Amino acid sequence: MRILRLFRFLRVLKLNRYTHSVDLIFQVISEKKNELYMTCFLTIMILVIASFLMFYAEGHHQPEAFPNILAAFWWAVATLTTVGYGDVYPITGLGKFISGMIAIIGIGLVALPTGLISAGFMEKIHKEKKQNKTGSKHTCPHCGKDFHEHS
């Protein structure tokens, strides 16, 4: 009986309305996967470099906050993702400069994958609209393939 209620609930949501949009997003992510992998690689490299820089800039002045490069890596993750917990922060001029640069770079790195996916999404929508205008008489409305391919 509970399963029937679940199906009834899902029917209320009418999820089939959104399957095309979800498929479109997955297609865009699949098409942009190389760019997204490159963004992830760049993020990891920036995190590693920031960890080393911050450890060497602040480690001698704050050995309890930056005792090793892994602790500095945690600080870099919190700063790069713009979370910045506030429990660990630089006190030297060089450390503050590095921290500011990492925070600014973090804003750009968060925006980069978002921009890639949204640009791909808009490109796909534009192609679909163009295809619907030019080929609506010759394409299948369900799969988008040319009617000659179905024969």
Side-chain angles (χ1 to χ4, degrees), residues 113-148:
T114 306
L116 286 170
I117 292 171
S118 63
F121 191 70
M122 294 305 295
E123 184 180 309
K124 276 280 207 195
I125 289 174
H126 180 70
K127 281 182 183 178
E128 281 188 4
K129 284 184 179 179
K130 187 176 179 181
Q131 183 182 14
N132 286 342
K133 284 182 182 178
T134 60
S136 62
K137 296 178 183 174
H138 304 293
T139 57
C140 175
H142 301 288
C143 67
K145 292 183 180 178
D146 192 20
F147 279 128
H148 300 291

Side-chain angles (χ1 to χ4, degrees), residues 18 25 49 75 87 91 102 121 141:
Y18 305 109
I25 290 172
I49 292 168
W75 168 88
D87 55 345
I91 57 172
I102 296 304
F121 191 70

Side-chain angles (χ1 to χ4, degrees), residues 23 33 53 100 115 128:
D23 288 341
K33 68 181 173 188
L53 289 175
E128 281 188 4

Side-chain angles (χ1 to χ4, degrees), residues 52-82:
F52 277 96
L53 289 175
M54 192 53 79
F55 174 71
Y56 288 115
E58 293 286 326
H60 300 295
H61 301 284
Q62 296 187 72
E64 68 286 344
F66 297 98
N68 54 37
I69 293 176
L70 287 177
F73 188 83
W74 171 248
W75 168 88
V77 168
T79 303
L80 194 69
T81 57
T82 66

